[in-house]
Amino acid sequence: MIEPLPDLLIAPVVRGALAEDLGRAGDVTAQACIPAEARLSAVFATRKPGVAAGLACARLAVAELDPGATFEALAADGDAVAAGAELARVEANARALLSAERTGLNLLGRLSGIATLTRAYVDAVAGTKARIVDTRKTTPGLRALEKYAVRCGGGVNHRFGLDDAILIKDNHVAACGSVGEAVRRAKAFAGHLMKVEVEVDTLAQLDEALPHAPDVVMLDNFSLDDLREAVRRVDGRVVLEASGGVNLQTVRAIAETGVDVISVGALTHSVSVLDIGLDAA
């Protein structure tokens, strides 16, 4: 079971999205067409199969505009759902529900899309030891939610931000002068709980990094043959992460080289929303 995000973390995102949508005068369509005290029952339902994620976003969007609304979740985050599945039933003030509809659906659909795509990658590497992880290529302001959606799809989170792990990239190497010097400095700086990862572009750079004992080496855009050779040379001494050129057509072959981790930016930066609608019941 996926540990849900606390409402305290989600609510500010939802409030910001609602404020963006409601603007200066609120939902003028709802005000024009619907009596102030009218009630409405509706169902959040899928149009296509996928993996659910972000139901709390829909619940909080409605509750923000109608604290007395009832919201019954019929699925849980991380559940595989069929086309036409009912994810939740809601009963609320009609104006509030329709004003919250798009915010709830935008967040629910995007997070479910991320979870759905992640599950496809996880399924593609089933039976290998490789784990699918995300990146920092997330929507500004939505990182916590999008990384949560990756977990709902069976993936694993990479570092959350710049402050929780050291990741030496090519520009860091250029500034330091060499891979070895960059790793040496990082290891001298890092506390005993902080991991050090270094990105390398060639097997020669891998060989240069290993004597300095990084915790993780990212193999950037390596061929399959070079990935296999890297796995052979490392022989389990450090964690190997493959990155670059990863898609659903290539990920299985990458996993079969024996790498430990495969990072996929597309999980969050190129995802399609899962088609979900709100239908009056």
Side-chain angles (χ1 to χ4, degrees):
M1 181 176 178
I2 308 298
E3 182 68 24
L5 290 178
D7 286 357
L8 186 66
L9 191 153
I10 303 171
V13 176
V14 170
R15 291 192 193 105
L18 285 169
E20 180 180 60
D21 213 18
L22 291 168
R24 296 164 298 175
D27 183 351
V28 294
T29 306
Q31 294 170 36
C33 299
I34 301 171
E37 301 305 317
R39 307 290 293 179
L40 182 65
S41 296
V43 175
F44 287 93
T46 59
R47 306 286 193 250
K48 293 183 178 180
V51 177
L55 284 159
C57 297
R59 171 174 56 80
L60 290 172
V62 177
E64 186 68 24
L65 300 185
D66 179 7
T70 61
F71 186 97
E72 180 189 5
L74 303 175
D77 287 347
D79 285 353
V81 292
E86 294 186 356
L87 301 181
R89 287 185 170 270
V90 60
E91 194 276 335
N93 174 275
R95 286 186 181 180
L97 179 54
L98 295 180
S99 297
E101 174 183 2
R102 179 44 52 196
T103 291
L105 287 173
N106 282 350
L107 291 169
L108 178 59
R110 178 162 184 82
L111 298 186
S112 295
I114 291 170
T116 300
L117 182 59
T118 302
R119 183 68 56 82
Y121 274 91
V122 170
D123 289 346
V125 302
T128 72
K129 70 174 183 177
R131 297 194 294 176
I132 299 296
V133 306
D134 53 26
T135 70
R136 289 189 299 118
K137 296 174 183 177
T138 54
T139 307
L142 295 183
R143 181 168 295 171
L145 297 183
E146 292 184 347
K147 282 182 170 284
Y148 168 72
V150 167
R151 298 197 299 276
C152 290
V156 177
N157 294 149
H158 209 285
R159 62 175 179 162
F160 188 87
L162 293 171
D163 62 340
D164 56 349
I166 293 173
L167 175 47
I168 302 164
K169 305 275 285 184
D170 54 353
N171 287 330
H172 300 105
V173 171
C176 290
S178 70
V179 166
E181 178 61 14
V183 178
R184 185 195 67 77
R185 294 181 191 181
K187 294 288 286 188
F189 173 88
H192 69 289
L193 293 180
M194 183 169 285
K195 298 285 188 180
V196 174
E197 178 173 8
V198 60
E199 176 188 86
V200 300
D201 299 322
T202 65
L203 290 168
Q205 285 188 326
L206 172 65
D207 290 339
E208 183 184 350
L210 290 177
H212 299 278
D215 299 291
V216 186
V217 176
M218 179 188 295
L219 309 170
D220 187 45
N221 283 296
F222 273 42
S223 68
L224 294 177
D225 286 342
D226 282 352
L227 287 174
R228 283 187 284 267
E229 176 59 19
V231 170
R232 187 193 69 78
R233 291 187 190 188
V234 165
D235 193 26
R237 286 178 288 164
V238 301
V239 173
L240 288 179
E241 174 184 339
S243 181
V246 182
N247 56 50
L248 282 171
Q249 288 69 50
T250 63
V251 70
R252 179 74 191 188
I254 293 170
E256 289 175 343
T257 66
V259 296
D260 303 289
V261 175
I262 303 173
S263 52
V264 187
L267 298 182
T268 53
H269 73 57
S270 299
V271 71
S272 295
V273 301
L274 183 65
D275 192 0
I276 299 171
L278 180 69
D279 302 319

